[in-house]
Amino acid sequence: MKDSTTIETDQALGFAIASRSARGRLVRLGPTLDTVLSAHAYPPAIEALLAEALCLVALVGSTLKDASGQLTMQTRSEHGVVQLLVCDYRGGEVRGYVQYDADKLAEAPEHPSLFALFGPGSLAITFDLATTGERYQGIVPLDGETLTEAVESYFIQSEQIPTLVRIGIRRDADGRHVAGGLFLQHLPEGEDGRERLHTRLDHPEWDHVQALGSTMGVDELADAALPLETLVWRLFNEEDDVRILARTALMRGCRCTPDYIASVIAKFSPEERDEMADENGVISVDCAFCASKFPVFA
């Protein structure tokens, strides 16, 4: 067990409770979160939304058994303040971006609800498994008070897996962010793989695990001085056979290298590249995720 003074951020920790047929994941983001958020001067409401989304995508993405697989979470809304929110996870790397209407945001409450930000919208979660080439996607309405509730609904509705998700976010006096998350799922005994059907309507083991998980405070999740293993112990110290699983380091990852940008531009015809170029024959490409600019000669 780590010392209580340890600052533990940018980590994901898996655990399993075999006697209750449950698995879980804890995530805490710190400097990685600040790096992603600092790419754009987001107003507080948008910054908080993206912080929540990045924590969620790290929670769910870090459960992928395929190390080369990718999880993408994207919202869709036609008339909301937020026009596009997209985050993804691959191999411990997270990135995210929000496109929003500043005029509509100015008319929204200081702490807008999910509906105030999106209106009637939807959430798509996509799993791309590189090893097998398989792709899974589920789309659910953006219902509930928070994005976290919408993700919880995705697993309950689209994958029929009883799920609990909790997120805690704080910002200290120096402006640094810490976001923590808890992800719990009930897995039926004797089933393996992604195809899991819960034919029973009652799950006593899950009800017990969910009740314990619900006691986790958001302030504990966002407390960088609390090791993740300590949080597992606080929740499940009276349970039999609690297993700590692999730990994953988290970092900001953006795939906008000069070579990648050049390869994308090369797919356009010479005529199209000429139209995109300025008077000096340079095509300027901006990455929405990290706000980097890449000049490419047509």
Side-chain angles (χ1 to χ4, degrees):
M1 194 72 66
K2 297 187 178 181
D3 186 89
S4 61
T5 59
T6 299
I7 301 300
E8 187 166 81
T9 55
D10 297 337
Q11 297 282 323
L13 179 71
F15 60 92
I17 311 168
S19 60
R20 300 287 183 180
S21 300
R23 70 170 181 177
R25 183 78 43 167
L26 281 161
V27 156
R28 191 175 290 125
L29 291 170
T32 291
L33 182 58
D34 280 326
T35 301
V36 176
L37 296 177
S38 65
H40 299 276
Y42 292 116
I46 301 300
E47 189 177 70
L49 176 69
L50 182 54
E52 181 184 9
L54 288 165
C55 195
L56 288 166
V57 83
L59 269 176
V60 181
S62 61
T63 66
L64 287 171
K65 294 180 180 178
D66 184 345
S68 301
Q70 177 170 310
L71 169 78
T72 304
M73 187 169 69
Q74 181 173 329
T75 63
R76 299 173 184 174
S77 175
E78 295 183 5
H79 307 294
V81 171
V82 176
Q83 299 156 337
L84 173 69
L85 182 153
V86 58
C87 295
D88 64 39
Y89 170 99
R90 187 173 71 177
E93 297 183 342
V94 297
R95 62 178 183 170
Y97 170 70
V98 182
Q99 180 180 325
Y100 65 97
D101 187 315
D103 292 334
K104 289 183 178 179
L105 180 62
E107 298 173 357
E110 182 180 358
H111 301 290
S113 65
L114 196 65
F115 186 80
L117 287 172
F118 291 97
S122 60
L123 172 69
I125 295 181
T126 307
F127 295 86
D128 288 293
L129 307 181
T131 302
T132 62
E134 295 172 283
R135 193 173 203 245
Y136 303 91
Q137 184 181 71
I139 301 175
V140 294
L142 277 168
D143 293 334
E145 289 298 313
T146 64
L147 191 61
T148 299
E149 291 183 16
V151 170
E152 202 172 69
S153 295
Y154 163 82
F155 283 99
I156 295 171
Q157 296 178 28
S158 294
E159 299 209 357
Q160 299 179 4
I161 304 175
T163 301
L164 173 71
V165 187
R166 290 182 68 82
I167 299 290
I169 302 169
R170 65 185 293 266
R171 188 174 185 176
D172 65 21
D174 296 324
R176 293 186 293 262
H177 294 83
V178 177
L182 169 67
F183 180 69
L184 284 173
Q185 287 191 316
H186 173 60
L187 302 179
E189 295 181 25
E191 295 188 41
D192 192 17
R194 290 188 50 81
E195 295 300 325
R196 299 181 287 266
L197 298 178
H198 287 69
T199 55
R200 289 171 47 198
L201 298 179
D202 62 319
H203 303 287
E205 303 94 344
W206 169 247
D207 292 342
H208 177 78
V209 170
Q210 182 183 43
L212 293 177
S214 297
T215 66
M216 176 59 68
V218 295
D219 54 336
E220 295 174 283
L221 289 169
D223 185 349
L226 280 175
L228 299 178
E229 289 185 27
T230 297
L231 297 185
V232 176
W233 175 252
R234 284 186 177 184
L235 288 176
F236 305 113
N237 63 87
E238 295 184 359
E239 299 301 310
D240 296 328
D241 199 14
V242 179
R243 304 171 188 173
I244 299 298
L245 305 178
R247 182 181 290 268
T248 303
L250 302 172
M251 65 204 78
R252 194 289 301 267
C254 202
R255 298 182 281 282
C256 58
T257 63
D259 289 343
Y260 174 75
I261 298 298
S263 70
V264 172
I265 296 298
K267 295 177 182 179
F268 292 90
S269 68
E271 294 77 16
E272 290 172 319
R273 294 199 297 270
D274 287 340
E275 291 180 4
M276 291 186 282
D278 61 17
E279 63 274 12
N280 298 314
V282 176
I283 302 171
S284 294
V285 179
D286 297 347
C287 175
F289 287 100
C290 66
S292 298
K293 298 182 183 296
F294 297 87
V296 180
F297 286 98

